[in-house]
Amino acid sequence: MNEKISLIAQRILEGDKNIVFTGAGISTESGIPDYRSKGGIWDKFRPVYFDEFMSSKNARIEYWRRKAELYHDLVQAKPNPAHMSLVKFYEMGLLEAVITQNIDGLHQEFGLPDEKVIELHGNTRRVRCMSCGKTISIHEAQKRIEAGDLAPECECGGYMKSDTISFGQAMPADEVEKAIDLSRKCDFFLVVGSTLLVHPAALMPSYAKQSGAFLAIVNLSQTPYDERCDVLIRGKAGEVLQEIVNTIRDLL
Ligand code: NAD
């Protein structure tokens, strides 16, 4: 383990363009469950598909019931050492960008500037009208739900939906393009807490590897890239990233 940590630390120091790719696993230590682990969100809920959301009031009520249930995890989330380590990389000038599948907005909440975070699946802290595009905060939507408005609508009559990508909904083209470009141009690519099963997000490590980048993975369970990466650490994101930061400090 120590050798692997040292190798990653060394590569981060040498890297001109270091990319970190994060998934739900970086936020579990902040109290937000992931999807695919035992006890994760898929054990509790089936997803509401985008066409169901747009065509059925019952589906919208169900969608918002689940969002309301997860709201409390979101507002109570505490910074964990994995998020804070990425802030340290940034402060040391060692981070080109974070590409994230996460919708929790925690990278920015905990200190990374907006422009350093590419959100491939949107941000649940924003709620958007599906007709006119107006946005409100998740807190305002939550207040309305708690007051009995079970599937909030906009003044224009449009359906209000979390500004995140549901199954069957188009990906944000600009973010995907930016993420591909960053992945192709980086020299170091670190995956933290992702099953790497959701496409097209999961193609980013491939783009990086094909362009000759060093690929490292820190994840508790198996990924399809385990055989192809340069270093694999089967460990908890918080502990491992904290150790990487400490090792970088020792090397400086
Ligand atoms: P996933 O749920 O498919 O996989 C999470 C991975 O993280 C698993 O392999 C698990 O073993 C690992 N993991 C869990 N805790 C860990 C820890 N402390 N340290 C290291 N590894 C840990 O998540 P995914 O690959 O990000 O894909 C799921 C989709 O779900 C994404 O599209 C994302 O938008 C969405 N999602 C987001 C959040 C969030 O924003 N926090 C939470 C759940 C799901």
Side-chain angles (χ1 to χ4, degrees):
M1 168 94 151
N2 281 349
E3 261 174 45
K4 290 182 178 182
I5 299 269
S6 299
L7 183 54
I8 292 177
Q10 193 69 48
R11 287 296 183 143
I12 291 176
L13 276 173
E14 286 166 12
D16 210 18
K17 292 192 166 81
N18 298 324
I19 298 294
V20 181
F21 177 93
T22 63
I26 198 168
S27 295
T28 54
E29 292 168 65
S30 288
I32 299 186
D34 62 14
Y35 277 176
R36 291 173 181 76
S37 293
K38 204 168 166 6
I41 291 166
W42 286 163
D43 279 357
K44 281 172 87 181
F45 303 128
R46 180 186 79 78
V48 173
Y49 283 71
F50 186 60
D51 60 345
E52 294 175 290
F53 180 92
M54 294 305 288
S55 60
S56 147
K57 178 143 192 191
N58 281 343
R60 289 193 290 282
I61 291 173
E62 180 57 14
Y63 175 91
W64 278 111
R65 188 184 68 78
R66 294 164 185 196
K67 285 282 170 191
E69 211 172 298
L70 297 171
Y71 174 80
H72 298 285
D73 287 341
L74 186 75
V75 291
Q76 284 164 16
K78 297 271 177 306
N80 80 61
H83 287 106
M84 298 322 292
S85 297
L86 301 191
V87 175
K88 301 268 163 47
F89 292 162
Y90 165 67
E91 288 169 350
M92 289 190 273
L94 296 171
L95 182 71
E96 178 76 1
V98 169
I99 301 171
T100 190
Q101 290 180 276
N102 290 349
I103 55 173
D104 56 29
L106 288 182
H107 288 302
Q108 302 92 312
E109 286 289 308
F110 298 159
L112 282 182
D114 281 348
E115 66 274 14
K116 285 280 168 190
V117 185
I118 317 296
E119 293 176 318
L120 290 174
H121 296 160
N123 190 319
T124 199
R125 289 169 193 271
R126 254 184 340 257
V127 173
R128 186 177 292 279
C129 170
M130 290 292 95
S131 296
C132 72
K134 181 185 165 182
T135 57
I136 60 171
S137 78
I138 183 76
H139 311 299
E140 196 179 330
Q142 180 73 12
K143 256 195 229 151
R144 285 173 61 175
I145 292 161
E146 283 173 7
D149 180 4
L150 299 183
E153 293 182 4
C154 182
E155 297 125 15
C156 80
Y159 308 138
M160 298 303 285
K161 180 183 172 297
S162 159
D163 199 12
T164 55
I165 308 301
S166 294
F167 283 100
Q169 191 174 1
M171 294 284 289
D174 286 357
E175 276 75 7
V176 172
E177 206 178 298
K178 248 190 255 171
I180 293 175
D181 190 53
L182 285 163
S183 303
R184 287 205 167 120
K185 291 185 179 147
C186 73
D187 33 36
F188 173 88
F189 193 100
L190 171 64
V191 175
V192 183
S194 174
T195 46
L196 296 176
L197 290 176
V198 180
H199 285 78
L203 292 172
M204 302 306 154
S206 233
Y207 295 131
K209 192 78 190 120
Q210 280 160 14
S211 309
F214 185 91
L215 176 61
I217 297 178
V218 176
N219 201 48
L220 280 178
S221 67
Q222 233 182 343
T223 86
Y225 287 86
D226 289 358
E227 307 292 315
R228 276 197 276 163
C229 68
D230 298 289
V231 178
L232 170 66
I233 299 183
R234 194 70 81 223
K236 286 185 96 173
E239 286 162 23
V240 176
L241 265 66
Q242 178 74 66
E243 276 196 55
I244 295 171
V245 169
N246 293 343
T247 308
I248 289 176
R249 285 201 177 122
D250 290 346
L251 290 169
L252 281 174

Coordinates of all heavy atoms in Angstrom, one line a residue, residues 21-29 32-37 41-42 74 100-106 120-122 124 165 167 192-198 201 218-223 233 235-238, ligand 1:
F21 N -11.2 12.1 -11.1 CA -12.6 11.7 -11.6 C -13.3 11.1 -10.4 O -12.8 10.1 -9.8 CB -12.5 10.7 -12.7 CG -13.8 10.2 -13.2 CD1 -14.4 10.8 -14.3 CD2 -14.4 9.1 -12.6 CE1 -15.6 10.3 -14.8 CE2 -15.6 8.6 -13.1 CZ -16.2 9.2 -14.2
T22 N -14.4 11.7 -9.9 CA -15.0 11.2 -8.7 C -16.4 10.7 -9.0 O -17.2 11.1 -9.9 CB -15.1 12.3 -7.6 OG1 -16.0 13.4 -8.1 CG2 -13.8 12.9 -7.3
G23 N -16.8 9.7 -8.1 CA -18.1 9.1 -8.2 C -18.7 9.1 -6.8 O -18.1 9.7 -5.8
A24 N -19.9 8.5 -6.6 CA -20.6 8.5 -5.4 C -19.8 8.1 -4.2 O -20.0 8.5 -3.0 CB -21.9 7.6 -5.5
G25 N -18.8 7.2 -4.4 CA -17.9 6.7 -3.3 C -17.1 7.8 -2.6 O -16.7 7.5 -1.4
I26 N -16.9 8.9 -3.2 CA -16.2 10.0 -2.4 C -17.1 10.7 -1.4 O -16.6 11.3 -0.5 CB -15.5 11.0 -3.4 CG1 -14.4 11.8 -2.7 CG2 -16.6 12.0 -4.0 CD1 -13.5 12.6 -3.5
S27 N -18.4 10.5 -1.6 CA -19.3 11.2 -0.6 C -19.9 10.3 0.4 O -20.6 10.8 1.3 CB -20.4 11.9 -1.5 OG -19.9 12.9 -2.3
T28 N -19.7 9.0 0.3 CA -20.3 8.1 1.4 C -19.8 8.4 2.8 O -20.5 8.4 3.7 CB -20.0 6.6 1.0 OG1 -18.6 6.4 0.9 CG2 -20.7 6.1 -0.2
E29 N -18.5 8.8 2.9 CA -17.9 9.2 4.2 C -18.5 10.5 4.7 O -18.2 10.9 5.8 CB -16.4 9.2 4.1 CG -15.9 7.8 3.9 CD -14.4 7.7 3.6 OE1 -13.5 8.1 4.4 OE2 -14.0 7.3 2.4
I32 N -23.6 10.5 2.5 CA -24.5 10.4 1.4 C -24.4 9.0 0.7 O -23.2 8.7 0.3 CB -24.2 11.5 0.3 CG1 -24.5 12.8 1.0 CG2 -25.1 11.3 -0.9 CD1 -24.3 14.0 0.1
P33 N -25.4 8.2 0.7 CA -25.2 6.8 0.2 C -24.9 6.8 -1.3 O -25.3 7.7 -2.0 CB -26.6 6.1 0.5 CG -27.5 7.2 0.8 CD -26.8 8.4 1.2
D34 N -24.2 5.8 -1.7 CA -24.0 5.6 -3.2 C -25.1 4.8 -3.7 O -26.1 4.6 -3.0 CB -22.6 5.0 -3.5 CG -22.4 3.6 -2.9 OD1 -23.4 3.0 -2.5 OD2 -21.3 3.1 -2.9
Y35 N -25.1 4.4 -5.0 CA -26.2 3.7 -5.6 C -26.1 2.2 -5.5 O -27.0 1.5 -5.2 CB -26.3 4.1 -7.1 CG -27.0 5.4 -7.4 CD1 -27.1 5.9 -8.7 CD2 -27.6 6.1 -6.3 CE1 -27.8 7.1 -8.9 CE2 -28.3 7.3 -6.6 CZ -28.4 7.8 -7.9 OH -29.0 9.0 -8.1
R36 N -24.8 1.7 -5.9 CA -24.7 0.3 -6.1 C -24.2 -0.6 -5.0 O -24.3 -1.8 -5.0 CB -23.9 0.1 -7.4 CG -24.6 0.5 -8.6 CD -23.8 0.5 -9.9 NE -24.6 0.9 -11.0 CZ -24.8 2.2 -11.3 NH1 -24.3 3.2 -10.5 NH2 -25.6 2.6 -12.3
S37 N -23.7 0.1 -3.9 CA -23.2 -0.7 -2.8 C -24.4 -1.3 -2.0 O -25.5 -0.8 -2.2 CB -22.4 0.1 -1.8 OG -21.2 0.5 -2.4
I41 N -28.6 3.4 -2.7 CA -29.9 4.0 -3.1 C -30.8 3.0 -3.9 O -32.0 2.9 -3.8 CB -29.7 5.3 -3.8 CG1 -29.2 6.4 -2.8 CG2 -31.0 5.8 -4.5 CD1 -28.7 7.6 -3.4
W42 N -30.1 2.2 -4.8 CA -30.8 1.2 -5.6 C -31.5 0.1 -4.8 O -32.4 -0.6 -5.3 CB -29.9 0.6 -6.7 CG -29.5 1.4 -7.9 CD1 -28.5 1.1 -8.7 CD2 -30.2 2.6 -8.3 NE1 -28.5 2.1 -9.7 CE2 -29.4 3.0 -9.5 CE3 -31.2 3.4 -7.9 CZ2 -29.8 4.2 -10.2 CZ3 -31.5 4.5 -8.6 CH2 -30.8 4.9 -9.7
L74 N -28.3 15.4 2.3 CA -27.6 16.4 1.5 C -27.2 17.6 2.4 O -26.1 18.1 2.4 CB -28.4 16.9 0.3 CG -27.7 17.8 -0.7 CD1 -26.7 17.1 -1.5 CD2 -28.7 18.5 -1.6
T100 N -16.7 15.1 -12.2 CA -17.5 14.3 -11.3 C -18.8 13.8 -11.9 O -19.4 14.5 -12.7 CB -17.8 15.1 -10.0 OG1 -18.3 14.2 -9.0 CG2 -18.7 16.3 -10.2
Q101 N -19.2 12.6 -11.4 CA -20.5 12.0 -11.7 C -21.5 12.5 -10.6 O -22.6 12.2 -10.8 CB -20.4 10.5 -11.7 CG -19.6 9.9 -12.8 CD -19.6 8.4 -12.7 OE1 -18.8 7.8 -11.9 NE2 -20.5 7.7 -13.3
N102 N -20.9 13.1 -9.6 CA -21.8 13.3 -8.4 C -22.7 14.5 -8.7 O -22.3 15.5 -9.4 CB -20.9 13.6 -7.2 CG -20.3 12.3 -6.7 OD1 -20.7 11.2 -7.2 ND2 -19.4 12.4 -5.8
I103 N -23.8 14.5 -8.0 CA -24.8 15.6 -8.2 C -25.0 16.3 -6.9 O -25.8 17.2 -6.7 CB -26.2 15.0 -8.6 CG1 -26.6 13.9 -7.6 CG2 -26.1 14.4 -10.0 CD1 -28.0 13.3 -7.9
D104 N -24.1 16.0 -5.9 CA -24.3 16.6 -4.5 C -23.7 18.0 -4.4 O -23.9 18.6 -3.3 CB -23.8 15.6 -3.4 CG -22.3 15.2 -3.6 OD1 -21.6 16.0 -4.2 OD2 -22.0 14.1 -3.2
G105 N -22.9 18.4 -5.3 CA -22.3 19.7 -5.2 C -21.2 19.9 -4.1 O -20.8 21.0 -3.8
L106 N -20.8 18.7 -3.5 CA -19.9 18.8 -2.3 C -18.5 19.3 -2.6 O -17.9 19.9 -1.8 CB -19.9 17.5 -1.6 CG -21.2 17.1 -0.8 CD1 -20.9 15.8 -0.1 CD2 -21.6 18.2 0.1
L120 N -20.8 16.1 -14.7 CA -21.4 15.4 -15.8 C -22.9 15.1 -15.7 O -23.6 14.9 -16.7 CB -20.6 14.1 -16.1 CG -19.2 14.3 -16.6 CD1 -18.5 12.9 -16.6 CD2 -19.1 14.9 -17.9
H121 N -23.3 15.0 -14.5 CA -24.7 14.6 -14.3 C -25.6 15.7 -13.6 O -26.6 15.4 -13.0 CB -24.8 13.3 -13.5 CG -24.2 12.1 -14.2 ND1 -23.8 11.0 -13.6 CD2 -24.0 12.0 -15.5 CE1 -23.3 10.1 -14.5 NE2 -23.4 10.7 -15.6
G122 N -25.1 16.9 -13.6 CA -25.8 18.1 -13.0 C -25.6 18.2 -11.5 O -24.7 17.6 -11.0
T124 N -27.9 18.6 -7.9 CA -29.2 18.5 -7.3 C -29.6 19.7 -6.4 O -30.7 19.8 -5.9 CB -29.3 17.2 -6.5 OG1 -30.6 16.8 -6.3 CG2 -28.6 17.3 -5.1
I165 N -29.3 14.8 -14.4 CA -29.6 14.0 -15.5 C -30.3 12.7 -15.1 O -29.6 11.8 -14.4 CB -28.3 13.6 -16.3 CG1 -27.5 14.9 -16.7 CG2 -28.6 12.9 -17.6 CD1 -28.3 16.0 -17.5
F167 N -32.3 9.0 -16.0 CA -32.2 8.0 -17.0 C -33.1 8.4 -18.2 O -34.2 8.8 -18.0 CB -32.6 6.6 -16.5 CG -31.6 6.0 -15.6 CD1 -31.6 6.0 -14.2 CD2 -30.5 5.3 -16.2 CE1 -30.7 5.4 -13.4 CE2 -29.5 4.7 -15.4 CZ -29.6 4.8 -14.0
V192 N -11.7 8.1 -8.1 CA -12.0 7.9 -6.7 C -13.5 7.6 -6.5 O -14.4 8.4 -6.9 CB -11.7 9.2 -5.9 CG1 -11.9 9.0 -4.4 CG2 -10.3 9.7 -6.1
G193 N -13.8 6.4 -6.0 CA -15.1 6.1 -5.6 C -16.2 6.0 -6.7 O -17.2 6.5 -6.6
S194 N -15.8 5.2 -7.8 CA -16.8 5.0 -8.8 C -16.7 3.5 -9.3 O -15.6 3.0 -9.4 CB -16.5 5.9 -10.0 OG -17.4 5.6 -11.1
T195 N -17.9 3.0 -9.6 CA -17.9 1.6 -10.2 C -17.5 1.7 -11.7 O -17.2 0.7 -12.3 CB -19.4 1.1 -10.2 OG1 -20.2 2.1 -10.7 CG2 -19.8 0.6 -8.8
L196 N -17.4 2.9 -12.2 CA -17.1 3.1 -13.7 C -18.0 2.2 -14.6 O -17.5 1.6 -15.5 CB -15.6 2.8 -13.9 CG -14.6 3.7 -13.2 CD1 -13.1 3.2 -13.4 CD2 -14.7 5.1 -13.7
L197 N -19.3 2.3 -14.2 CA -20.2 1.5 -15.0 C -21.2 2.4 -15.8 O -21.9 2.0 -16.7 CB -21.1 0.6 -14.1 CG -20.3 -0.6 -13.5 CD1 -21.2 -1.3 -12.5 CD2 -19.8 -1.5 -14.6
V198 N -21.3 3.7 -15.4 CA -22.2 4.6 -16.1 C -21.6 5.3 -17.2 O -20.6 6.0 -17.1 CB -22.8 5.6 -15.0 CG1 -23.8 6.5 -15.6 CG2 -23.4 4.9 -13.8
A201 N -19.8 8.8 -18.9 CA -18.8 9.2 -17.9 C -17.7 8.2 -17.7 O -16.5 8.6 -17.7 CB -19.5 9.4 -16.5
V218 N -8.8 4.5 -6.9 CA -9.0 4.2 -5.5 C -10.5 3.9 -5.3 O -11.3 4.8 -5.5 CB -8.6 5.5 -4.6 CG1 -9.0 5.2 -3.1 CG2 -7.2 5.8 -4.8
N219 N -10.8 2.7 -5.0 CA -12.2 2.3 -4.9 C -12.4 1.0 -4.1 O -11.5 0.2 -4.1 CB -12.7 2.0 -6.3 CG -14.3 2.1 -6.4 OD1 -14.8 3.0 -5.9 ND2 -14.9 1.1 -7.0
L220 N -13.5 1.0 -3.4 CA -13.7 -0.2 -2.5 C -14.1 -1.5 -3.2 O -13.8 -2.5 -2.7 CB -14.8 0.1 -1.4 CG -14.4 1.0 -0.2 CD1 -15.6 1.3 0.7 CD2 -13.3 0.3 0.6
S221 N -14.7 -1.3 -4.4 CA -15.1 -2.6 -5.1 C -14.5 -2.6 -6.5 O -13.9 -1.6 -6.9 CB -16.6 -2.7 -5.1 OG -17.2 -1.7 -5.8
Q222 N -14.8 -3.7 -7.2 CA -14.2 -3.9 -8.5 C -14.7 -2.9 -9.6 O -15.8 -2.4 -9.5 CB -14.7 -5.2 -9.0 CG -13.7 -6.2 -9.4 CD -14.4 -7.5 -9.9 OE1 -15.5 -7.8 -9.7 NE2 -13.6 -8.2 -10.7
T223 N -13.8 -2.6 -10.5 CA -14.3 -1.7 -11.7 C -13.8 -2.4 -13.0 O -12.9 -3.2 -12.9 CB -13.7 -0.3 -11.6 OG1 -12.4 -0.3 -12.3 CG2 -13.5 0.3 -10.3
I233 N -5.8 0.9 -5.8 CA -5.9 0.8 -4.3 C -7.3 0.5 -3.9 O -8.2 1.2 -4.2 CB -5.4 2.0 -3.6 CG1 -3.9 2.3 -4.0 CG2 -5.5 1.9 -2.1 CD1 -3.3 3.5 -3.3
G235 N -9.3 0.7 -1.2 CA -9.3 1.3 0.1 C -10.3 2.4 0.2 O -11.0 2.8 -0.8
K236 N -10.5 3.0 1.4 CA -11.4 4.0 1.6 C -10.9 5.4 1.1 O -9.7 5.7 1.5 CB -11.8 4.1 3.1 CG -12.7 3.0 3.6 CD -13.1 3.2 5.0 CE -14.5 3.9 5.1 NZ -15.0 4.0 6.4
A237 N -11.7 6.1 0.4 CA -11.2 7.3 -0.3 C -10.6 8.3 0.7 O -9.5 8.8 0.5 CB -12.4 8.0 -1.0
G238 N -11.3 8.5 1.9 CA -10.8 9.5 2.9 C -9.4 9.1 3.3 O -8.5 10.0 3.3
Ligands
NAD1 P1 -21.8 3.9 -7.7 O1 -22.8 3.9 -6.6 O2 -22.1 3.1 -8.9 O3 -20.5 3.3 -7.1 C1 -19.8 3.9 -6.0 C2 -18.5 3.1 -5.9 O4 -17.8 3.7 -4.8 C3 -18.6 1.6 -5.5 O5 -17.7 0.9 -6.3 C4 -18.2 1.5 -4.1 O6 -17.5 0.3 -3.8 C5 -17.2 2.7 -3.9 N1 -17.2 3.3 -2.6 C6 -18.2 3.5 -1.7 N2 -17.7 4.2 -0.6 C7 -16.4 4.3 -0.8 C8 -15.3 4.9 0.0 N3 -15.5 5.4 1.2 N4 -14.1 4.9 -0.6 C9 -13.8 4.3 -1.8 N5 -14.8 3.8 -2.6 C10 -16.0 3.8 -2.1 O7 -21.5 5.4 -8.0 P2 -21.0 6.0 -9.4 O8 -20.0 5.2 -10.1 O9 -20.7 7.4 -9.0 O10 -22.3 6.0 -10.3 C11 -23.5 6.2 -9.8 C12 -24.3 7.4 -10.4 O11 -25.1 7.8 -9.3 C13 -23.6 8.6 -10.9 O12 -24.1 8.9 -12.1 C14 -24.0 9.7 -9.9 O13 -24.5 10.8 -10.6 C15 -25.1 9.2 -9.1 N6 -25.0 9.3 -7.6 C16 -24.5 10.4 -7.1 C17 -24.4 10.5 -5.7 C18 -23.8 11.8 -5.1 O14 -23.8 12.8 -5.8 N7 -23.2 11.7 -3.9 C19 -24.8 9.5 -4.9 C20 -25.3 8.4 -5.5 C21 -25.4 8.3 -6.8

